Amino acid sequence: MFSDRGVSIEVTRADPRERTLSTGSSLDSDTSHRSKNIPMIFQMYESQYEDLRGTIYGPSSPDFHPVQASETLRSSLHGLETKDQTIINTVLYHNNFQRQKILGAYEDMYSRKLLEDLEEECGGFFFEMCQALFKPAPNYDAQCVYKSLSNRHGDRSVAIEIACTRSPRQMRALRDTYQIDYRKSLDKDLTVKVEGVVGKMMHLLLCNNREEGLGVRVNDELVDKHVKILMTTTIDDIAKNVNLFEELFIGHSWKHIGTVLDKVDEARKDVQDIESIIRRNKNIHSEIRLILLTIARVSRNIQIYFAEKLRTAMTAERVDQSTIIRICVSRSEIDLQDISLEYKRKYQRPLEHDICQSTSGEYTRMICTLLSGFNNLENSFAPTPESIEE
């Protein structure tokens, strides 16, 4: 499903801009709605909420020319001087699905792999970000989960983050891709790699479906029931009781969970809020505490959650570049604009400013271009081989 092979190129002697890529898909059909031409596996990684905004959309199908993009990239990588800004502009002008077509076109045209050429000429965090951008979105999430579960130090924070911040459709795609890429089910891998209560809770988060969607409604009776449970049960008890954890937090929409937690805090306004109670409780397992905190934060505002994660990554003793790349890439077509707005609102300065203080070189320029939304800039255009020489 994710293979780039089998793509046939029709190259004529006409102007390079008129060369076409024949894929047998609906990419060449005329439509103004960007998602109609994207296969379902990639639509899963678009926002389900109309009021959320990413920074990367990609050109509409009639304006998408993978052969031209491949020529531009080859011209930028081939020669005495690598033209990094043209590479940045070309990569970020296209969405994740379109980049897969560019990978196929580049290999068919030049009998070379684009990522290998990028690694040879660029390297460093710049190349790491290119790798993430060119990875099919479900495969990238599956890779992040696999690495997190396989971490020899037992850090499952990335797997917990992904379990709590991907839509039900994204999670189904992730599980299917995990099976294909690693020849084992996520279900079985979790059983082997994460034991005890932590493993059971992560299994529930990663392998069970959650009620979500534009039309989801909050059941007031169920909300009241869950509020009562939380008011009469300690965090220590929830941390030890998988059945209770499942009843409260699995299968329900984030809107439902957020409503429950808000009502609990309102009823307990004279004491600590529930997030503070979880954070300060040192009696429970650190990963269970992280699971509960992530659920609480995501259910209230997922964009603030990511803004805070970025802030933590940039202010760590050693800047956590992998977290910066993961969040910026995985949210670029979903809600990165809104994450940037929440960051500025919370920390009183632009996210781009702090990124510049925490990164360097062309890697910085790529992230800042991604944050600003190259496609959304007025007068944006697709870089061409000819424009490189200008």
Side-chain angles (χ1 to χ4, degrees):
M1 181 178 291
F2 303 108
S3 173
D4 295 314
R5 301 190 180 279
V7 179
S8 60
I9 304 287
E10 296 177 4
V11 181
T12 69
R13 296 181 181 274
D15 186 284
R17 299 188 188 190
E18 296 177 355
R19 296 178 183 179
T20 60
L21 176 69
S22 175
T23 63
S25 71
S26 57
L27 272 172
D28 298 323
S29 63
D30 185 14
T31 177
S32 59
H33 194 287
R34 63 189 175 92
S35 67
K36 286 183 179 179
N37 296 321
I38 303 177
M40 183 59 69
I41 195 69
F42 288 91
Q43 288 190 43
M44 292 173 183
Y45 281 75
E46 292 193 335
S47 172
Q48 295 187 43
Y49 305 96
E50 294 179 357
D51 59 333
L52 298 183
R53 297 167 296 165
T55 58
I56 300 298
Y57 296 102
S60 59
S61 293
D63 300 318
F64 171 45
H65 304 293
V67 169
Q68 177 181 294
S70 298
E71 291 174 329
T72 303
L73 289 168
R74 182 63 183 154
S75 298
S76 300
L77 290 164
H78 183 66
L80 295 177
E81 183 180 350
T82 301
K83 299 171 178 63
D84 296 316
Q85 189 60 54
T86 303
I87 293 171
I88 292 169
N89 292 351
T90 304
V91 172
L92 298 184
Y93 185 76
H94 299 91
N95 61 38
N96 184 265
F97 168 66
Q98 291 167 340
R99 292 182 206 120
Q100 312 313 310
K101 297 298 181 183
I102 292 170
L103 284 177
Y106 188 96
E107 183 171 354
D108 282 351
M109 293 168 68
Y110 303 111
S111 297
R112 305 173 64 93
K113 293 185 182 295
L114 174 56
L115 286 175
E116 290 180 0
D117 285 353
L118 283 167
E119 183 176 23
E120 184 178 330
E121 297 295 330
C122 303
F125 292 122
F126 182 89
F127 174 66
E128 285 187 29
M129 191 158 184
C130 285
Q131 279 186 306
L133 286 162
F134 275 102
K135 193 89 169 175
N139 299 66
Y140 183 57
D141 273 353
Q143 174 183 286
C144 290
V145 169
Y146 180 80
K147 287 182 177 180
S148 181
L149 296 181
S150 303
N151 191 305
R152 63 182 178 180
H153 301 298
D155 180 9
R156 280 86 186 214
S157 59
V158 174
I160 293 168
E161 171 197 304
I162 289 175
C164 293
T165 59
R166 302 307 190 256
S167 72
R169 289 183 297 174
Q170 288 173 322
M171 290 305 300
R172 285 194 293 271
L174 186 159
R175 292 192 292 268
D176 291 344
T177 305
Y178 197 99
Q179 175 82 50
I180 295 169
D181 286 356
Y182 302 107
R183 298 181 181 179
K184 64 183 80 173
S185 69
L186 177 55
D187 184 301
K188 290 184 178 179
D189 216 18
L190 271 165
T191 302
V192 171
K193 293 178 178 177
V194 191
E195 300 177 344
V197 175
V198 174
K200 291 176 182 177
M201 288 183 174
M202 289 188 64
H203 188 280
L204 288 169
L205 287 169
L206 285 161
C207 299
N208 287 54
N209 293 325
R210 183 178 299 281
E211 181 187 19
E212 290 291 355
L214 293 172
V216 66
R217 293 183 179 181
V218 172
N219 182 322
D220 293 334
E221 186 176 332
L222 187 59
V223 166
D224 291 340
K225 177 185 177 182
H226 287 171
V227 168
K228 185 176 180 180
I229 291 174
L230 283 171
M231 292 291 290
T232 57
T233 309
T234 66
I235 293 299
D236 299 69
D237 290 336
I238 295 172
K240 299 173 185 176
N241 191 327
V242 176
N243 292 330
L244 189 55
F245 173 85
E246 181 176 11
E247 180 178 357
L248 290 169
F249 302 123
I250 302 302
H252 311 298
S253 69
W254 291 119
K255 186 176 181 181
H256 167 87
I257 295 172
T259 301
V260 170
L261 298 182
D262 286 344
K263 287 200 170 189
V264 169
D265 282 347
E266 185 180 345
R268 296 166 52 91
K269 56 185 176 182
D270 295 331
V271 295
Q272 290 180 328
D273 63 88
I274 196 163
E275 285 188 41
S276 297
I277 293 172
I278 298 169
R279 186 177 292 106
R280 296 175 183 177
N281 189 316
K282 304 304 179 182
N283 297 322
I284 61 179
H285 191 286
S286 59
E287 287 184 314
I288 294 177
R289 185 166 59 249
L290 179 60
I291 288 171
L292 295 174
L293 271 177
T294 304
I295 289 171
R297 293 164 65 195
V298 167
S299 68
R300 259 73 180 265
N301 189 313
I302 193 171
Q303 287 75 45
I304 290 180
Y305 166 81
F306 278 119
E308 292 173 346
K309 289 276 289 187
L310 286 168
R311 178 65 178 165
T312 300
M314 289 185 286
T315 56
E317 185 175 346
R318 182 177 181 179
V319 178
D320 185 355
Q321 303 292 358
S322 63
T323 292
I324 294 173
I325 291 172
R326 183 180 69 255
I327 293 175
C328 289
V329 170
S330 65
R331 308 307 292 189
S332 62
E333 295 179 41
I334 302 175
D335 55 0
L336 190 55
Q337 282 194 58
D338 295 278
I339 292 169
S340 297
L341 288 174
E342 293 291 359
Y343 188 97
K344 186 174 183 179
R345 186 178 294 119
K346 185 174 178 68
Y347 301 109
Q348 301 300 305
R349 56 181 173 273
L351 175 56
E352 291 93 328
H353 174 273
D354 286 354
I355 287 287
C356 289
Q357 302 299 311
S358 307
T359 60
S360 61
E362 298 305 324
Y363 169 52
T364 301
R365 293 172 68 183
M366 174 167 267
I367 295 182
C368 288
T369 303
L370 180 67
L371 289 169
S372 66
F374 181 78
N375 285 104
N376 303 325
L377 296 176
E378 189 174 355
N379 300 322
S380 67
F381 62 93
T384 65
E386 292 81 0
S387 67
I388 296 176
E389 306 302 329
E390 295 176 0

